[in-house]
Structure formats: C-alpha cells, structure tokens
Amino acid sequence: MSTQELLIQAASKNAELLQGLNDTAYASSAIQQSQAHLSDLDREIKDCDAQVRSLESKTKTELADHKKYAESTARRFMHRAVGKKEKFAEKVSKEEREYVEALAEENQAKSRRGEWVKNRDEARKHHAELEGINSTHRRLQAELDALYDSIFAGPTPEFPDEDQKEWALRQASDALNDAKRRHDAEAQAVQCLHDADRFMNEALRAFDDARNYSRVDMFGGGTLTDIMERRALSRAQSATDKVRMLVAQTQRLVPDIQGLGNIDIPHGHIMSDIIFDNIFTDMAQHDRIKNSQAQAQREARNLKDLLGRAQQRSEHLLQEANAALARLETSREELQQIRQDTFERVARRPTYDQAVA
C-alpha cells in the first residue's frame, strides 16, 4: 500500500485525534495556574491555623479570668464586705465581655478557615479534573505520533519536505541528549565539589584545634595535650582524604577540572612527641602544623575557585539544555504541522479510482 493510500485510509482517524488534541490543549497551562492557586490556598490555611491556635489560647485565658470572678464566692463576699459590690459587678461584666469577644473572634477565624478549606477542596477537585484532561491530551498525542510514525517514519520520497523535518527532529533530539548528558555530569561535579568544600572546612577546623593544642603543648601542656593534638591531626587527615576522593570523582565526571595540591599532615612520632617531649620538639611540631594549615588554606581557596567555575559551567549548560529542548519542541511542532498539512493535501486530492470515474 502506497503512502498516499495509507494517508487516505487514516484521514478520519487523523482528524479525530487532532480535534481531541485541540479540545484538551488548554489543560497543560491550566494545571500550572491551578497548582499556583492551590499553593496560595495552602498558605492561607496555614496562616489561619496559626491564628486559630493563638485565638484559642487567648479565649482560654479570658475564660479563666471570667470564671475567676464569676464563680468565686469568696471574691464576691470580700467585695461586698468592703462596700465595693458595684466594682465587683463591673469587673465580672468586663471579664465576661472580654471572654465573649475573644470567643467571637476565635469563631470568626475558624469560620474563615472553613471557607478556605472548602475553596481548597473545590480547587483540588478542579485540579484533578485538569490532570485527567491533560492525561487524555498526552494519550491522544501519543496516538497521533504513533499514527504518523507508522506512515512517515523513514524515507518517504513522495514527501521530501517531511523527510527534511524528520531529519531536523532527529538532530534536535541528539543535541538535547548531548546537552543533558553534559549538564548532568557538571551538576554531579558541582555536588561533589560542594561536599569536598564541606570536608575541607572540617579539615581547617581540625587544623585550628591541632594548632591550639600545639601552642598549649609548647608551654607545658603535657601528655593529654599531645593526645588531643594527634586526634585533631587525625581528623584533618580523614577530612582531607575525603576531599581528595571527591575531587578525583569530580575529575572522572569532568576531566577538564584541575586537581588540588598536596596537604601534608604532620602526625609526629610517639617517641619524640610523648616519651622524649621537650620545648624543641614541641616548637618543631608547631611549625609543621602551621605549614600544613597554610597548605590546607591555600587548597581551600583553590577548591572554592573550582566550585565557583563549575557552578558557572553548570548554569551555562543548563541554559544550553533548555535552549536545545526549545529547539526540539519547535522541530517536533514543525514536523507534526507538515504531516498534518500532508494529510489534508492528500485527502483533498482525488484517488485514481475517483479520477477515472
């Protein structure tokens, strides 16, 4: 069966699918508006909940004050005994009024919340309906794509313009896949460098601790100070090892990223640092710690530079991927449009049997 015969045979199905797509096309943008509306309603309800809790607390306080006077026989008797019966009645009336006002304000807030909840329920129902319509739109689009692919996929010499648009779509799809691959790799690299920066900060804090313990040790800190110093250096070693691991992982993702320089950890020696401890060995170790700390500070700056440049590349690649996606959508729309036009043109063209008749 020729392509023209296939087009004529599928013409009614094509028209049906196009009409369905046209009828449901609004759902996608409407869902975005509906979601924004639901988010606004959720915020209003959250604010109302906070207001209701505050007013409930206020009402309880006012009720307690009201009962304190209205139900207190002792207070009533004392005011009557000192000739202040009217003042007591005024106090009871004031507390009752304040309680009633607080209760009314609380009920009004609950009523407002009820209206917001009602609106949200209706909005959720409408949102679900839109999602159903949008699901129908996606299904119809998939059916139309399948219909067109069954007729036009591959070379169709009768319709060279369609072949050209089909080739453009493949090119746009390949470009998008490449852009997404490069952006995904750079985004993972950024995350690795973020983690490396966090561990580098841990290393810097550990070096600060080690340097402080070393300073104390020079002035007679003793064995305990030596042990705390070694523990801090061990933490620095662990953190810098993680930094190196993460930077190496980053380089596997993005080979162009530079590595970091060495950070030498002066662990010292148990014989000289503890057994034969003296001011000279302490000063020498203190100098080694300062040098290592300077190395770590230098590499921390380098790491932040790597992270900043990786973030810039990631943002640029994201823009490229978005642009590639836009080009793909344009190519897909152009291909679908030329296929629609081909359907209409062929459907209007008389067949051989019609021409002979």
Side-chain angles (χ1 to χ4, degrees):
M1 187 177 292
S2 69
T3 304
Q4 181 175 349
E5 290 172 329
L6 289 172
L7 288 169
I8 294 172
Q9 187 181 65
S12 61
K13 182 63 174 179
N14 175 64
E16 176 188 337
L17 290 173
L18 289 175
Q19 183 60 51
L21 286 169
N22 184 63
D23 292 342
T24 57
Y26 71 93
S28 178
S29 59
I31 281 177
Q32 296 178 9
Q33 297 176 353
S34 175
Q35 187 61 59
H37 180 51
L38 280 172
S39 297
D40 290 340
L41 290 173
D42 285 337
R43 282 194 294 271
E44 291 290 349
I45 291 172
K46 184 178 179 180
D47 291 342
C48 277
D49 287 339
Q51 186 180 23
V52 166
R53 287 193 297 271
S54 175
L55 291 172
E56 284 177 339
S57 176
K58 180 181 178 182
T59 301
K60 289 179 181 178
T61 300
E62 295 297 345
L63 177 60
D65 290 342
H66 171 57
K67 287 183 175 181
K68 184 170 63 176
Y69 284 91
E71 299 177 2
S72 175
T73 303
R75 290 175 184 272
R76 188 186 303 274
F77 177 78
M78 288 177 60
H79 280 77
R80 183 179 300 172
V82 295
K84 295 184 178 180
K85 179 180 179 181
E86 293 78 8
K87 186 176 181 180
F88 180 79
E90 290 176 3
K91 186 65 175 178
V92 171
S93 177
K94 174 179 176 294
E95 295 298 337
E96 181 180 10
R97 183 175 64 256
E98 290 177 351
Y99 164 66
V100 170
E101 290 174 352
L103 181 61
E105 195 174 358
E106 176 189 331
N107 289 335
Q108 289 173 2
K110 288 180 177 179
S111 177
R112 286 195 300 273
R113 184 189 184 281
E115 288 298 319
W116 285 121
V117 170
K118 180 181 177 181
N119 291 340
R120 185 182 62 181
D121 291 342
E122 293 175 354
R124 283 177 173 173
K125 181 179 179 182
H126 179 61
H127 188 78
E129 292 173 353
L130 288 174
E131 287 183 329
I133 295 171
N134 195 46
S135 177
T136 299
H137 184 81
R138 291 195 301 269
R139 177 179 58 79
L140 293 173
Q141 184 64 60
E143 289 183 22
L144 185 66
D145 291 341
L147 175 65
Y148 284 171
D149 286 343
S150 69
I151 298 172
F152 293 106
T156 50
E158 310 98 306
F159 309 105
D161 290 344
E162 190 278 336
D163 283 347
Q164 184 179 1
K165 294 297 183 182
E166 191 174 340
W167 177 85
L169 179 62
R170 285 197 300 272
Q171 293 294 107
S173 179
D174 290 343
L176 174 61
N177 290 335
D178 181 64
K180 289 176 65 176
R181 177 188 58 77
R182 289 185 293 121
H183 172 257
D184 289 346
E186 198 70 57
Q188 291 181 55
V190 168
Q191 184 58 55
C192 286
L193 291 174
H194 264 302
D195 293 340
D197 185 60
R198 176 165 54 84
F199 285 119
M200 182 64 85
N201 288 331
E202 289 184 12
L204 292 176
R205 288 193 292 270
F207 274 118
D208 281 338
D209 291 343
R211 187 170 176 178
N212 289 334
Y213 287 127
S214 176
R215 185 180 297 111
V216 172
D217 195 32
M218 287 191 299
F219 296 98
T223 302
L224 180 60
T225 305
D226 283 326
I227 293 173
M228 298 302 294
E229 175 191 311
R230 293 167 69 86
R231 287 182 179 176
L233 291 171
S234 179
R235 295 204 318 270
Q237 179 73 70
S238 176
T240 53
D241 286 345
K242 291 174 183 176
V243 170
R244 290 192 185 95
M245 179 191 69
L246 287 164
V247 171
Q249 184 177 345
T250 301
Q251 290 176 303
R252 288 192 293 271
L253 291 165
V254 184
D256 293 339
I257 289 180
Q258 292 181 328
L260 297 178
N262 290 330
I263 301 175
D264 300 317
I265 309 296
H267 291 291
H269 193 278
I270 191 169
M271 295 294 291
S272 61
D273 291 347
I274 296 180
I275 298 177
F276 299 111
D277 189 23
N278 58 66
I279 184 62
F280 300 106
T281 59
D282 291 342
M283 290 176 64
Q285 175 68 353
H286 188 71
D287 288 339
R288 288 193 291 269
I289 291 174
K290 285 198 299 181
N291 291 336
S292 296
Q293 185 179 36
Q295 290 177 341
Q297 290 169 342
R298 181 194 64 228
E299 296 310 317
R301 291 191 295 270
N302 292 337
L303 180 58
K304 288 189 181 297
D305 182 60
L306 291 177
L307 175 57
R309 282 185 280 144
Q311 288 173 324
Q312 290 178 352
R313 287 194 302 271
S314 179
E315 292 171 1
H316 177 71
L317 289 171
L318 178 59
Q319 292 174 359
E320 285 189 4
N322 289 335
L325 177 60
R327 288 192 295 271
L328 177 66
E329 291 300 322
T330 300
S331 297
R332 183 179 287 116
E333 291 170 2
E334 290 176 350
L335 178 60
Q336 179 166 315
Q337 186 60 54
I338 200 168
R339 288 174 169 179
Q340 291 178 24
D341 294 343
T342 303
F343 255 104
E344 294 174 4
R345 187 169 64 252
V346 172
R348 290 195 301 268
R349 186 188 306 167
T351 64
Y352 175 78
D353 295 336
Q354 291 173 332
V356 171

